[in-house]
Amino acid sequence: MLLEGIFQVLTCGFPPLEDRNKSLKVLSGHDFFGGGTLTKEETIRLEEMEKRAVNDMFVILSDVWLDKEEALTKVETILDGFESVEVVPSLFVFMGNFCSRPCNLSFHSYSSLRMQFGKLGEMIAAHTRLKEQSRFLFIPGPDDAGPSTVLPRCALPKYLTEELQKHIPNAIFSSNPCRVKFYTQEIVFFRQDMLHRMRRSCLMSPSIEETDDHFQHLVATITHQSHLCPLPLTVQPIIWNYDHSLYLYPTPHTIVLGDRSAQKAFKYTGITCFNTGSFSIDSTFVAYRPCSQEVELSAL
C-alpha cells in the first residue's frame, strides 16, 4: 500500500483451475448436471457404451439465418452431404440467431419467420435417413425472439417452432446455454458473441507472453472463472436465480461456443473448447466426434 492510501497491484491472475475428477471426488453424491446421480455400476455401463459409440458425430451450426435464401441453400447442401454418408450424425445442433435482423420491438415479421422454420422442417423431413436416425437441437441466439436479452435465454417461442415440429416431432428446443450428456461426458453449448464483448470490457489487455491468440485468452478466462459469462451485470444482465446455469463447475468435458469471431479449436487443461464461427456469414460449421473429442473445423 502506498502512502497516499492507494493499493499498488504488482501482479493479478486467475483463481486456480480445479481438475474435474478432483471436484467430483470432493462433491460425490451431488448432481451438478441435473440428470440425477448415477451409481458406480451405471457409470461403468455408460463408459462401456461410450467406448462403442465411435461413429457418433455432432454437426454444429451457428447463425442460421432462415430469412436468407442463401443460408437455407447452404443448410440443404450440408443435409444432402450427411444423408449420403454410411453412418449419419447422431445430433444436429442449430444455434441462433435464426434471423439476420434482431427480433426486437421494431421487428414485425414473426409470421414470416414461423413459415421459414416450417420450410427448414420440410427440408429436414425430405432427408429420410436424417429424420429417422438423427436428433435436432435448436438453441436461441442473443438477438432471437424472447422475453428479454438477459441470460439464461429461454427456448424459442412455440409460435415460431410449431410448423417445424409438424415435420420433425422429435426436435428439441432448449435454453441458451444448453447442456448435453453424452454417456459419461458433459457438453456445454453457449451462443453468445463473447470474444468481442470480453475484449470490449477489458481494462487491461491480456498478457501475450504465452500466446497472443484472443480465443485462447477467452477459453482460459471462462474456465478459470468457472462461468460462461464473467462480464459485469451492467454489460450482460443475468437472472440471479438462474446464474447457476452458467457455471462451469465441475469443469465439463467440452465447451462449444457459438461466436461470430473466426472459427477456432483449443484444448485447455483437458477441456475441449471450440468456436463454430458464423454459418451465414462465413459458411463455417463443426463436425465433432465426442467419443474421441475430435474437432473437425469445416466450411462450405
Side-chain angles (χ1 to χ4, degrees), residues 59 61 78-79 82 89-94 130 134-137:
V59 177
L61 301 83
I78 286 176
L79 295 175
F82 285 111
S90 48
L91 179 69
F92 282 86
V93 181
F94 291 89
L130 297 182
S134 303
R135 298 299 298 270
F136 294 86
L137 172 64

Side-chain angles (χ1 to χ4, degrees), residues 122-134:
E122 282 180 35
M123 193 185 290
I124 295 169
H127 298 80
T128 317
R129 290 181 69 219
L130 297 182
K131 184 186 175 183
E132 291 174 358
Q133 298 174 40
S134 303

Side-chain angles (χ1 to χ4, degrees), residues 72-243:
L72 281 172
T73 305
K74 289 191 286 189
V75 170
E76 189 161 30
T77 304
I78 286 176
L79 295 175
D80 289 342
F82 285 111
E83 172 79 4
S84 58
V85 296
E86 189 179 341
V87 180
V88 298
S90 48
L91 179 69
F92 282 86
V93 181
F94 291 89
M95 292 197 275
N97 299 320
F98 291 103
C99 187
S100 59
R101 293 178 293 132
C103 296
N104 51 28
L105 292 173
S106 64
F107 184 80
H108 303 294
S109 307
Y110 289 106
S111 57
S112 173
L113 189 56
R114 173 187 165 99
M115 285 168 57
Q116 283 147 0
F117 268 105
K119 195 174 177 181
L120 176 62
E122 282 180 35
M123 193 185 290
I124 295 169
H127 298 80
T128 317
R129 290 181 69 219
L130 297 182
K131 184 186 175 183
E132 291 174 358
Q133 298 174 40
S134 303
R135 298 299 298 270
F136 294 86
L137 172 64
F138 294 84
I139 300 169
D143 293 327
D144 278 323
S148 70
T149 57
V150 297
L151 288 174
R153 300 278 312 228
C154 57
L156 290 161
K158 196 175 179 183
Y159 171 78
L160 292 178
T161 61
E162 278 175 332
E163 292 297 315
L164 187 148
Q165 280 199 295
K166 286 177 186 175
H167 301 286
I168 313 295
N170 66 349
I172 304 160
F173 296 92
S174 82
S175 60
N176 179 27
C178 168
R179 294 168 190 265
V180 170
K181 191 105 180 209
F182 178 80
Y183 300 105
T184 63
Q185 291 187 43
E186 289 187 18
I187 302 167
V188 177
F189 294 90
F190 186 44
R191 172 64 187 94
Q192 189 70 247
D193 296 322
M194 282 301 296
L195 186 56
H196 169 72
R197 300 184 75 187
M198 290 287 281
R199 291 287 296 168
R200 199 172 173 184
S201 298
C202 271
L203 296 176
M204 295 182 294
S205 296
S207 167
I208 56 170
E209 278 182 33
E210 291 182 34
T211 177
D212 60 357
D213 189 309
H214 296 325
F215 181 70
Q216 293 185 18
H217 289 154
L218 172 64
V219 169
T221 303
I222 63 173
T223 50
H224 279 273
Q225 297 293 339
S226 296
H227 200 279
L228 280 167
C229 190
L231 285 166
L233 291 176
T234 49
V235 176
Q236 176 55 65
I238 291 171
I239 303 171
W240 206 240
N241 289 350
Y242 296 99
D243 182 57

